[in-house]
């Protein structure tokens, strides 16, 4: 109770008691006592006389609004002009009572308390409602006819990578320059114009260059349009992956079809030869000729075995995950040369390796081994016997991003008309040398699996060079 007259204070207390109001009072008359009282006494209602020593009821009202906005403030005054009473109600006072009519005070307090409680409940429920809308999965925004953001919830601000305060009151074009040229904006305009629901799944590019997918439902609203937006970027990425997997599966299936057809054909040829040779061997009396037939059977079986080996490589490449290991090119080279030492001509061909670049190179060791072995064994196998010094030179250049591998020989070379085809499944230029026609097909598959490239340059009589480029996975390993 802000009251400087003890008798008036008594009068007010008496009036309240008379009406059976249960209360205690804290009577103050100075600004500081008033503020302290708001904190320590924590009143349920403030009764305020008009003129007090050093300040008046308007000053008290300002303080009450600042420090205790939820507590009813009732002006209890001896005499005051009607204008003053109205302006204090406008300033936030809940009621005013003339001291000559104190009988109305209990009812006024009761009404003001109820009013404040109702306001408090309403504010709480508005806050809860606001909180619920802010935390919604969907973004909610209202755009005015002037394209200004009238309302945005937290989700919209997050989706739009902005703060609410950065959006409200600004136009969409100010916040996202160039938005007016997009198909999405065209749809917003059509809803604004035709007042009809529009829906779209849209990839939105942000000013920083990043992008995200959003499903938008655009509806007419009294202020302009209301947009509900859901971030579907993860769903789109998952769908993209699924589509890619589908594409891969279809490719593998088609390959498998071709493979089964070609492989059965390729494998049946040596098998039929083995059967024929076997029949001949059974009848053959001459031991030397019989041994010769067995040798031929061995060759056919070795060819079959080789085909099966390559089929396994092919199958592993399409199914197994890519490893990222430190590659030691010198070791890889030594092992590959050893692997090739049985090939006819290996003793005549000089091989060499030169590695440049002091960066570590990371890739799939097993796959790289198959690539090097295949290309190296071809370079030896197709050496030019008329050449005085047949060679195979391997040159590797490593950088932080890739390895460039060149494998050159001065062998028989490949005719232009075959160069395009040598990477095809079971493609062989001639039957003069043993082989399956699978090697380079598998090499290409592997290089592509490792996200690299392979090309060939060749001329008959001069030799062949394979250029292989593979990404350095060092960053993937270090992260
Ligand atoms: P193959 O088992 O027949 O060697 P590949 O797929 O490894 O099968 O090679 C396909 C064809 O490409 C070979 O038959 C051969 O004619 C040609 N070829 C590959 N590498 C060389 C090379 N270094 N020099 C000449 N011809 C080559």
């Amino acid at each position: 109770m802000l009251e400087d007259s003890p008798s008036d204070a008594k009068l007010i207390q008496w009036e309240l008691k008379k009406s059976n109001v249960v209360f205690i009072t804290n009577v103050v008359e100075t600004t500081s006592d008033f503020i302290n009282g708001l904190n320590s006494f924590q009143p349920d209602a403030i009764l305020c006389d008009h003129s007090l020593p050093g300040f008046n009821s308007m000053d008290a009202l300002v303080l009450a609004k600042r420090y205790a906005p939820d507590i009813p403030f009732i002006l209890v005054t001896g005499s005051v002009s009607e204008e003053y009473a109205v302006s204090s109600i406008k300033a936030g006072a809940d009621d005013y009572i003339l001291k000559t009519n104190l009988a109305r005070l209990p009812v006024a307090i009761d009404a003001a308390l109820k009013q404040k409680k109702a306001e408090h409940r309403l504010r709480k429920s508005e806050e809860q409602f606001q909180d619920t809308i802010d935390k919604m999965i969907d973004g909610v925004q209202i755009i005015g006819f002037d394209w200004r953001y009238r309302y945005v919830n937290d989700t919209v601000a997050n989706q739009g990578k902005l703060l609410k305060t950065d959006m409200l009151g600004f136009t969409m074009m100010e916040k996202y320059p160039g938005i007016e040229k997009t198909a999405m904006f065209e749809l917003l305009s059509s809803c604004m114009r035709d007042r009809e629901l529009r829906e779209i799944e849209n990839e939105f590019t942000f000013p920083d260059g990043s992008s995200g997918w959003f499903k938008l439902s655009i509806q007419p609203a009294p202020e302009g349009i209301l947009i509900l937006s859901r971030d579907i970027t993860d769903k789109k990425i998952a769908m993209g992956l699924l589509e890619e997997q589908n594409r891969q599966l279809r490719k593998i299936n088609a390959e498998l079809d071709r493979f089964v057809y070609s492989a059965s054909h390729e494998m049946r040829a040596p098998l039929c030869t083995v059967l024929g040779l076997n029949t001949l061997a059974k009848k053959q009396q001459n031991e030397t000729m019989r041994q010769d037939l067995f040798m031929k059977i061995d060759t056919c079986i070795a060819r079959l075995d080789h085909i099966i080996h390559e089929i396994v490589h092919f199958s592993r490449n399409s199914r197994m995950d890519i490893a990222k290991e430190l590659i030691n090119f010198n070791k890889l080279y030594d092992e590959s040369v050893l692997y090739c030492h049985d090939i006819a001509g290996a003793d005549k061909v000089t091989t060499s390796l030169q590695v440049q670049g002091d960066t570590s190179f990371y890739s799939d060791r097993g796959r790289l081994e198959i690539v090097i072995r295949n290309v190296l064994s071809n370079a030896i196998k197709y050496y030019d016997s008329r050449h005085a010094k047949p060679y195979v030179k391997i040159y590797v250049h490593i950088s932080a991003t890739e390895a460039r591998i060149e494998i050159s020989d001065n062998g028989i070379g490949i005719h232009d008309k075959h160069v395009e085809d040598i990477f095809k499944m079971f493609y062989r230029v001639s039957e003069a040398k043993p082989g399956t026609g699978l090697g380079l097909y598998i090499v290409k598959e592997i290089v592509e699996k490792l996200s690299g490239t392979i090309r060939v340059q060749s001329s008959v009589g001069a030799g062949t060079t394979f250029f292989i480029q593979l990404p350095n996975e060092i960053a993937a390993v270090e992260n």
Side-chain angles (χ1 to χ4, degrees):
M1 190 186 290
L2 278 149
E3 182 59 75
D4 62 339
S5 151
S7 57
D8 280 1
K10 280 247 156 39
L11 204 64
I12 291 167
Q13 286 164 345
W14 183 78
E15 193 63 47
L16 292 177
K17 271 190 198 133
K18 207 171 72 174
S19 302
N20 294 327
V21 177
V22 182
F23 69 95
I24 45 170
T25 49
N26 180 20
V27 184
V28 292
E29 24 180 299
T30 64
T31 319
S32 57
D33 284 351
F34 178 49
I35 295 171
N36 287 339
L38 288 177
N39 283 326
S40 56
F41 183 71
Q42 298 206 341
D44 293 318
I46 300 161
L47 306 181
C48 182
D49 190 13
H50 173 51
S51 64
L52 299 145
F55 73 128
N56 66 19
S57 59
M58 232 2 150
D59 303 327
L61 184 56
V62 171
L63 291 173
K65 287 288 131 201
R66 186 186 310 158
Y67 294 109
D70 282 341
I71 301 171
F73 185 99
I74 298 171
L75 199 58
V76 186
T77 163
S79 70
V80 70
S81 71
E82 214 146 278
E83 289 80 24
Y84 186 84
V86 169
S87 59
S88 33
I89 296 283
K90 274 192 182 154
D94 293 271
D95 209 342
Y96 79 97
I97 305 287
L98 291 174
K99 286 183 179 167
T100 50
N101 189 17
L102 277 180
R104 207 171 72 78
L105 185 60
V107 179
I109 291 176
D110 192 45
L113 280 172
K114 282 185 179 137
Q115 171 72 18
K116 282 287 174 189
K117 250 191 205 137
E119 280 173 12
H120 180 76
R121 271 202 301 271
L122 189 67
R123 207 169 39 246
K124 268 272 162 270
S125 97
E126 271 173 2
E127 277 167 15
Q128 271 169 5
F129 178 65
Q130 182 61 47
D131 197 45
T132 308
I133 294 203
D134 269 337
K135 291 194 170 74
M136 268 173 68
I137 291 172
D138 286 327
V140 182
Q141 55 187 303
I142 295 172
I143 310 289
F145 288 105
D146 54 1
W147 295 105
R148 286 182 197 282
Y149 290 100
R150 292 286 161 83
Y151 173 83
V152 292
N153 70 349
D154 280 356
T155 315
V156 163
N158 287 337
Q159 288 174 349
K161 300 185 179 187
L162 289 171
L163 294 174
K164 268 183 178 178
T165 45
D166 285 340
M167 302 177 87
L168 292 171
F170 292 96
T171 64
M172 289 186 121
M173 300 74 153
E174 281 169 328
K175 290 291 122 185
Y176 300 106
I179 196 172
E180 64 274 25
K181 294 184 198 100
T182 62
M184 181 199 74
F185 191 81
E186 179 51 41
L187 212 68
L188 301 185
S189 307
S190 80
C191 178
M192 199 75 103
R193 187 180 58 236
D194 305 336
R195 316 305 292 154
E196 278 171 12
L197 174 75
R198 301 277 184 257
E199 284 172 317
I200 186 177
E201 283 192 3
N202 177 59
E203 186 177 19
F204 188 76
T205 307
F206 293 97
D208 67 1
S210 63
S211 67
W213 276 91
F214 298 93
K215 183 179 176 163
L216 306 182
S217 166
I218 309 150
Q219 326 183 2
E223 301 93 329
I225 49 173
L226 178 139
I227 307 171
L228 296 178
S229 52
R230 180 166 300 183
D231 189 336
I232 52 166
T233 312
D234 288 347
K235 193 178 118 193
K236 281 281 174 188
I237 290 172
M239 265 173 64
L241 282 176
L242 213 65
E243 274 165 18
E244 173 58 19
Q245 275 172 354
N246 240 327
R247 206 182 57 76
Q248 290 281 351
L249 273 176
R250 276 199 299 273
K251 181 180 171 244
I252 289 172
N253 259 339
E255 265 164 10
L256 211 67
D257 275 355
R258 270 192 304 142
F259 197 79
V260 169
Y261 174 79
S262 307
S264 57
H265 179 261
E266 290 296 316
M267 286 165 86
R268 283 196 66 201
L271 260 182
C272 290
T273 317
V274 167
L275 281 175
L277 290 169
N278 197 36
T279 315
L280 285 177
K282 274 191 221 154
K283 290 183 195 152
Q284 187 53 258
Q285 301 297 323
N286 179 311
E287 186 52 28
T288 322
M289 287 178 81
R290 238 158 66 102
Q291 284 307 320
D292 188 44
L293 289 170
F294 283 136
M295 293 273 282
K296 286 195 170 110
I297 289 177
D298 277 355
T299 312
C300 285
I301 292 174
R303 178 169 150 73
L304 264 175
D305 186 47
H306 196 59
I307 294 181
I308 289 165
H309 250 92
E310 306 226 273
I311 290 174
V312 170
H313 284 158
F314 168 76
S315 151
R316 279 203 192 130
N317 179 51
S318 50
R319 273 160 196 76
M320 278 171 56
D321 287 342
I322 297 169
K324 285 160 188 165
E325 304 145 295
L326 180 64
I327 305 295
N328 179 340
F329 276 102
N330 287 297
K331 192 160 174 268
L332 195 70
Y333 165 79
D334 288 343
E335 286 167 359
S336 303
V337 170
L338 199 65
Y339 170 85
C340 294
H341 86 284
D342 273 348
I343 297 170
D347 53 333
K348 302 197 177 55
V349 181
T350 314
T351 60
S352 63
L353 169 74
Q354 196 192 339
V355 184
Q356 254 188 13
D358 45 18
T359 320
S360 303
F361 180 68
Y362 283 81
S363 187
D364 188 314
R365 197 186 303 138
R367 285 186 167 90
L368 189 53
E369 208 170 87
I370 297 172
V371 170
I372 303 287
R373 278 183 190 181
N374 265 299
V375 181
L376 180 66
S377 64
N378 277 345
I380 295 172
K381 194 160 70 173
Y382 300 105
Y383 85 102
D384 191 344
S385 54
R386 293 163 308 173
H387 217 292
K389 286 182 181 157
Y391 67 74
V392 186
K393 291 178 183 168
I394 304 182
Y395 167 72
V396 181
H397 183 263
I398 305 171
S399 73
T401 54
E402 62 179 13
R404 295 192 166 273
I405 308 167
E406 282 178 33
I407 304 177
S408 316
D409 63 57
N410 57 353
I412 58 172
I414 308 163
H415 196 283
D416 279 356
K417 66 179 180 198
H418 297 295
V419 166
E420 289 288 304
D421 296 324
I422 57 168
F423 294 106
K424 287 184 180 161
M425 194 190 282
F426 291 114
Y427 191 87
R428 310 206 60 220
V429 173
S430 90
E431 297 293 328
K433 297 277 167 97
T436 60
L438 271 176
L440 287 180
Y441 169 72
I442 293 167
V443 164
K444 189 156 195 266
E445 285 288 307
I446 290 178
V447 169
E448 282 173 359
K449 182 99 181 176
L450 298 178
S451 309
T453 57
I454 181 165
R455 65 186 175 86
V456 62
Q457 224 170 48
S458 186
S459 69
V460 175
T464 306
T465 303
F466 284 89
F467 300 90
I468 300 166
Q469 172 270 326
L470 292 173
N472 192 349
E473 300 295 351
I474 188 164
V477 175
E478 281 176 351
N479 291 336

